[in-house]
Amino acid sequence: MTATNDDIEKAVGVLRAGGLVALPTETVYGLGANAEDPAAVGRIFEVKGRPPSHPLIVHIADGEQLGDWVEEVPDTARVLAEAFWPGPLTLVLRRGRRVPLEATGGLETVAVRVPDHPVALALLSAFGGGVTAPSANRFGSVSPTTPQHVRAELGDAVDFVLDGGSCEVGVESTIVDVTSDVPSILRPGGVTAEDIEAVLGYPPAAPSAAPVRVPGQHPSHYAPRARVVLVEPEKVVAEAELAQELGHQVGVFLPAAFADTPVKAHAVVAVPASTAAYARELYGLLRAFDQRGCDLIIASLPAEEGLGAAIANRLRRAAGPRPSDADRATPAARPA
Ligand code: AMP
Ligand code: MG
């Protein structure tokens, strides 16, 4: 059931009272708070178990409002905002005074975006201000793409969940730093590097070597409970069957070229045919492997062009070394 006008009003009330609202966007569901209320922003970090140094994205209703949230709007930012907003592109700019440091992880830059989802836009317009929102999941785990995912993972910790159905894009936004002369992609996402190059007339820079605090860059992120192991496409079947024989409950992402190959494993899913469908379904499939009791997921990386870059980035992080349980805010919820 998609959110009604009454739901939007209720959600606005929750935001004004300093509460947390889960909101649908075209990328993933966000856990939103009034961006200008440091206490409410603090609750996001508590609920997620997210380190306070990890900055959040400020969501606004309209690109025209960008200047209210940043110190200045460079030309490249204006061009990119006009081309891609509303849409899955986040711009990092110098922080305006309106944005509390709690929302930026103490940084003097702020990430801003206009989401392309009718429910998110209705909420943002009715609320009038900015809503800071990271993905509505516990720190490090798989982002939610349905309201059911949010409720299953966060339960009563979120004051209100706005239902906007399944997310169309399915992976997070592309984050572009526009604080220096050449824009650089900090995180690949729903808008591709090729799309950005087409608008700018030159390719965006690769991320600088300087340490930038981007939560998605933690070695393990976007991770299901099951271990994720990446192998070459032609080895997926053999590796999966070997692990299953060794006693694992194996979930398999079967590459398209092997779609007709029978696999002796616990749960087998054919990789969706288009990168758009793969991105849209990726997190739901990872969650489904967990639900079906898999302890190991065997996958291969798609070609890193277009949306494939974002999918490969998320799969690599999902396969990354896990933080020790001591680092986890809710170790009990994530058995080894
Ligand atoms: P999440 O929704 O969990 O992916 O978190 C929001 C994303 O925005 C994270 O990947 C942040 O690193 C990114 N972000 C927010 N503010 C900044 C900033 N000032 N500089 C770089 N990245 C940022
Ligand atoms: Mg996240």
Side-chain angles (χ1 to χ4, degrees):
M1 283 294 278
T2 285
T4 61
N5 286 342
D6 281 356
D7 293 331
I8 299 288
E9 261 175 49
K10 192 168 166 194
V12 168
V14 169
L15 291 175
R16 295 218 167 107
L20 300 185
V21 172
L23 66 149
T25 78
E26 80 281 32
T27 60
V28 302
Y29 272 72
L31 182 62
N34 176 1
E36 292 171 272
D37 179 342
V41 173
R43 277 195 62 208
I44 293 179
F45 290 92
E46 266 169 48
V47 165
K48 280 190 63 106
R50 174 170 170 129
S53 60
H54 287 226
L56 309 176
I57 295 171
V58 177
H59 294 73
I60 57 176
D62 190 324
E64 297 284 310
Q65 298 169 5
L66 178 58
D68 301 343
W69 298 93
V70 303
E71 204 179 83
E72 54 164 350
V73 183
D75 285 343
T76 43
R78 206 178 301 280
V79 167
L80 291 173
E82 270 170 24
F84 296 110
W85 284 356
L89 178 79
T90 295
L91 296 174
V92 172
L93 294 138
R94 296 199 191 289
R95 178 178 70 94
R97 257 179 270 158
R98 196 168 170 181
V99 183
L101 285 169
E102 282 81 359
T104 69
L107 298 175
E108 285 304 330
T109 53
V110 61
V112 185
R113 122 176 156 91
V114 179
D116 187 15
H117 191 294
V119 174
L121 290 172
L123 175 70
L124 292 167
S125 303
F127 177 58
V131 170
T132 40
S135 50
N137 54 278
R138 308 265 178 208
F139 179 61
S141 83
V142 176
S143 301
T145 51
T146 68
Q148 291 76 23
H149 295 162
V150 178
R151 291 195 189 96
E153 186 153 345
L154 298 182
D156 292 342
V158 44
D159 299 305
F160 193 61
V161 179
L162 278 173
D163 190 333
S166 299
C167 300
E168 268 299 307
V169 176
V171 292
E172 295 79 357
S173 60
T174 303
I175 302 180
V176 177
D177 182 344
V178 277
T179 58
S180 57
D181 289 344
V182 180
S184 62
I185 295 185
L186 302 180
R187 173 179 76 183
V191 169
T192 68
E194 293 86 342
D195 294 336
I196 293 170
E197 179 172 354
V199 166
L200 293 177
Y202 57 88
S208 78
V212 201
R213 273 182 275 169
V214 180
Q217 307 309 304
H218 191 281
S220 171
H221 213 91
Y222 316 112
R225 214 166 39 233
R227 298 267 146 191
V228 178
V229 174
L230 299 174
V231 301
E232 294 302 316
E234 57 280 3
K235 295 203 175 133
V236 165
V237 172
E239 292 287 337
E241 292 191 336
L242 179 62
Q244 186 75 30
E245 267 170 41
L246 290 173
H248 285 286
Q249 297 300 315
V250 179
V252 186
F253 273 120
L254 196 57
F258 300 89
D260 300 327
T261 312
V263 191
K264 287 190 227 89
H266 186 65
V268 182
V269 169
V271 168
S274 69
T275 50
Y278 197 2
R280 187 162 54 237
E281 292 171 34
L282 176 65
Y283 290 145
L285 292 171
L286 289 173
R287 278 176 190 267
F289 281 139
D290 274 348
Q291 261 163 15
R292 292 173 68 179
C294 296
D295 62 59
L296 189 70
I297 297 169
I298 306 272
S300 60
L301 295 177
E304 294 187 52
E305 308 151 358
L307 263 183
I311 297 167
N313 172 273
R314 305 308 188 271
L315 282 171
R316 276 207 195 86
R317 306 264 169 221
R322 304 287 168 98
S324 71
D325 276 354
D327 296 335
R328 288 234 176 254
T330 52
R334 298 188 54 97

